[in-house]
Amino acid sequence: MSHDQDADDRGPAGQPTYFVYEDGGQRWRWFLLDGQRRKIANSGRGYRSRADCLASIDLVRLSADAGLREP
């Protein structure tokens, strides 16, 4: 089962949910689904450890006050 299929089967509907998984290259990755089960973000890279992957999720969570730049 792919990580996308697995995400469809787990987690609460109606609220954003992070999913953490180990890819085929033994790297840890994450993606974020919105409340309607659509993928809206991903780690963009693999991490050597699960702890590093979780730390990157924390960075995203803490960036709510980040500025916005537009052209």
Side-chain angles (χ1 to χ4, degrees), residues 16-51:
T17 304
Y18 285 92
F19 289 86
V20 175
Y21 66 98
E22 193 170 15
D23 68 16
Q26 297 182 318
R27 297 288 182 151
W28 289 92
R29 296 177 179 271
W30 61 263
F31 62 92
L32 174 62
L33 298 183
D34 69 9
Q36 295 180 3
R37 316 300 284 167
R38 294 177 298 210
K39 190 180 289 187
I40 59 172
N42 65 58
S43 57
R45 59 170 282 206
Y47 295 90
R48 290 182 187 207
S49 72
R50 185 175 184 274

Side-chain angles (χ1 to χ4, degrees), residues 3-4 10-11 13 18 20-21 28-31 38 41 46 48 51-52 57 60-61 63 65 70-71:
H3 65 271
D4 287 328
R10 297 184 308 170
Y18 285 92
V20 175
Y21 66 98
W28 289 92
R29 296 177 179 271
W30 61 263
F31 62 92
R38 294 177 298 210
R48 290 182 187 207
D52 287 343
I57 291 172
V60 173
R61 286 179 170 167
S63 70
D65 294 331
E70 297 185 62

